[in-house]
Amino acid sequence: MKNDKPVAPATQVVEAGRRPEWTGAVVNPPVWRASTHLYADSADLATGRANADGQFYYGRRGAPTQWALADALTALEPGAAGTVLYPSGVAAIAGALLAVLKAGDVLLVTDNAYEPSRALARTVLDPLGIETRFFDPLDLGTFPDRFCPRTRAVLLESPGSLTMEVCDIPALAAIAREKGAVSLLDNTWASPLGFAALAHGCDISLMSLTKHVGGHSDLMMGSASAGEHWHQLLRLKAQAMGNVVSPDDAALALRGLRTMAVRLERSTASALTLARWLRERPEVAHVLCPMLEGSPGHDLWQRDFTGGCGLFSFILKGRDAAARSRFIDGLALFGIGYSWGGFESLVVPVDPARVRTETPWPPAGWDSADRLGLRLSIGLEDPADLIADLERAFAAMDAG
């Protein structure tokens, strides 16, 4: 930043990380490609052991391109002392969990977590002697009973992956802290522009930079931002495991970051337009979009969030898998593919029942026939064109 005066988040995404010593006379930090950093003499070599961003040492610790990105992400997260970069969002989750947990510890994971987070528990944590227990994030009353003397961390996600439940993050984080556990939040959906994770009580804020920060579906990266204590632990663990991101990808992420605020504003507005339209369709049983008035979690979203994004789901009314496939195949503007947060709209099928252990699917009170869903990632296309595409897909679904 060029001054210390408080500025709006939309200004932060433009200004943050652009230190003169990293940019020189140009707008963006150049791409510093280097494995070896050279020193003037022995005394200069000794200074490199300080182990801080901005201090040259060796390529695995980064250079100005990576430092600028980490610095910008730290500036966007109120309360953060630093940010560690990882080669993917899953790597950020894994790296953060391994930094705060050890053999014999217990990890609590929200039952609506991103599926790869669940896989981490089974394939990485379990063999290391770290036990994972899942919990219902909406059952605040029984949450304190989930803790035991060995519970060291809680992994949260809000809104929940696929089904978009919004939980009371400040209350859950406060209970975790009272119990002596670290709270980690996968904050990819809202980003710090829509939800200030540390300011709401979380210890570590995680993001898949592949999504909104990259914004163009051409890079893989993740991040973990935290206060001084946890940032240092994250940093040391990441260095010990050899985590590093390429300067070229860091430059792409910085480029995407500069337009993230306007892209989120557009995709959020378009998503709301489509969610309202879908709610009126006879083929739709439920629209799972916390930004939508009257939807589950909307009150908490209004209370705690300052923004949203283009990702939401909806449930088909009484249709089978073949009908859903006809709907997906009938779309022209929505690409069929994983990830989200790019400039283009995407669709994937949603089947939460197979990855739930603590919370039923469909939820209580729903018709049991209404279980098959679709997740939409709304991009930057004209919403009227997207609605027309969805209308054609509904026609194709019922033509079969």
Side-chain angles (χ1 to χ4, degrees), residues 211-216 255-268 341-343 380:
K211 312 298 195 295
H212 299 135
V213 173
H216 294 77
R255 181 198 64 181
L257 181 70
R258 304 311 179 191
T259 62
M260 183 170 72
V262 292
R263 286 187 287 104
L264 280 174
E265 183 178 351
R266 171 62 183 266
S267 63
T268 298
F343 60 86
L380 303 182

Side-chain angles (χ1 to χ4, degrees), residues 49-304:
R49 303 186 190 281
N51 194 5
D53 284 353
Q55 184 68 58
F56 285 97
Y57 179 72
Y58 181 61
R60 197 169 57 240
R61 289 191 188 170
T65 318
Q66 294 102 323
W67 299 337
L69 175 59
D71 191 53
L73 294 172
T74 301
L76 290 179
E77 186 71 67
T83 296
V84 178
L85 303 175
Y86 300 85
S88 70
V90 171
I93 297 169
L97 291 175
L98 291 173
V100 303
L101 294 166
K102 65 182 185 305
D105 288 347
V106 171
L107 166 69
L108 298 181
V109 177
T110 178
D111 199 38
N112 56 4
Y114 182 45
E115 188 174 353
S117 297
R118 302 180 73 100
L120 274 171
R122 182 180 67 255
T123 61
V124 177
L125 301 183
D126 283 354
L128 294 176
I130 299 168
E131 181 183 353
T132 300
R133 301 173 184 173
F134 294 92
F135 69 95
D136 181 351
L138 302 184
D139 190 354
L140 195 61
T142 65
F143 183 60
D145 300 330
R146 296 286 185 162
F147 290 80
C148 74
R150 296 188 293 119
T151 306
R152 293 290 178 267
V154 179
L155 180 61
L156 302 165
E157 185 173 336
S158 186
S161 184
L162 302 181
T163 46
M164 305 294 150
E165 299 94 337
V166 178
C167 56
D168 194 335
I169 292 293
L172 293 168
I175 292 169
R177 184 161 298 180
E178 178 184 326
K179 297 289 187 177
V182 185
S183 57
L184 305 92
L185 174 68
D186 184 338
N187 198 30
T188 304
W189 186 89
S191 85
L193 298 186
F195 184 80
L198 303 189
H200 281 88
C202 297
D203 295 303
I204 299 173
S205 178
L206 303 165
M207 270 201 298
S208 172
L209 307 183
T210 309
K211 312 298 195 295
H212 299 135
V213 173
H216 294 77
S217 303
D218 55 6
L219 69 92
M220 302 287 290
M221 199 178 299
S223 67
S225 301
E228 185 65 32
H229 173 71
W230 296 114
H231 171 246
Q232 288 305 316
L233 287 179
L234 291 167
R235 182 186 184 89
L236 292 173
K237 181 66 75 170
Q239 290 175 354
M241 295 176 66
N243 279 312
V244 66
V245 304
S246 81
D248 297 84
D249 283 348
L252 287 175
L254 276 167
R255 181 198 64 181
L257 181 70
R258 304 311 179 191
T259 62
M260 183 170 72
V262 292
R263 286 187 287 104
L264 280 174
E265 183 178 351
R266 171 62 183 266
S267 63
T268 298
S270 295
L272 266 173
T273 298
L274 268 67
R276 289 169 180 147
W277 181 81
L278 284 165
R279 184 167 57 183
E280 303 304 317
R281 296 290 302 194
E283 307 92 338
V284 174
H286 304 280
V287 177
L288 308 177
C289 177
M291 304 177 297
L292 183 64
E293 306 86 351
S295 290
H298 181 66
D299 290 344
L300 280 175
W301 181 81
Q302 277 194 312
R303 187 193 76 181
D304 293 338

